[in-house]
Amino acid sequence: MISGISSDLFSIGESAMNVSQARMVASADNVANVDTPDYQRKNVLVEERAQGGVKVSSIEREDEPVDLAREMVNMTRAKRTYEIAAKVIGFADETLQTVLEMGDNDD
């Protein structure tokens, strides 16, 4: 049971990290192209996965100018989400290690 929960937490954490990476890349592209004529801003759309977690559903192009302040906020959010997801994975790892150690002590 615990290993199933840990597996779910690993999967959820990994999915959040992947979405955060996609958001960071999109924002970095937007910032890099702030002065590019006719550039269309990228926006990452996310949906829930049936098995838990999230996934990128699409990356849309928006016909609006790049707002550097907005992109900085988006990058900060992506960074924080990535950090939280890493903590979730760390928690799952610690939990699984504790369970395995308890099993070793039963002998």
Side-chain angles (χ1 to χ4, degrees):
M1 168 131 162
I2 294 293
S3 65
I5 293 170
S6 292
S7 176
D8 290 345
L9 288 174
F10 282 120
S11 178
I12 290 168
E14 178 187 22
S15 72
M17 291 174 97
N18 290 336
V19 166
S20 296
Q21 180 182 9
R23 285 183 166 158
M24 185 65 78
V25 168
S27 286
D29 287 348
N30 293 339
V31 170
N33 287 287
V34 68
D35 293 324
T36 302
D38 299 323
Y39 177 77
Q40 292 184 310
R41 181 184 175 276
K42 293 180 182 179
N43 184 38
V44 177
L45 300 180
V46 178
E47 64 184 36
E48 290 183 37
R49 296 185 320 179
Q51 67 272 32
V54 290
K55 68 177 183 176
V56 173
S57 59
S58 66
I59 299 176
E60 291 185 343
R61 294 294 191 147
E62 296 180 348
D63 195 20
E64 62 183 55
V66 174
D67 177 354
L68 290 177
R70 178 180 177 185
E71 297 306 329
M72 292 301 119
V73 169
N74 288 343
M75 284 193 250
T76 300
R77 284 182 181 160
K79 178 181 180 249
R80 297 286 187 243
T81 302
Y82 192 93
E83 290 169 346
I84 291 167
K87 287 182 181 185
V88 167
I89 290 172
F91 172 76
D93 183 53
E94 288 175 19
T95 302
L96 189 56
Q97 291 301 319
T98 300
V99 169
L100 292 173
E101 289 169 8
M102 289 171 51
D104 288 341
N105 292 333
D106 286 344
D107 296 337

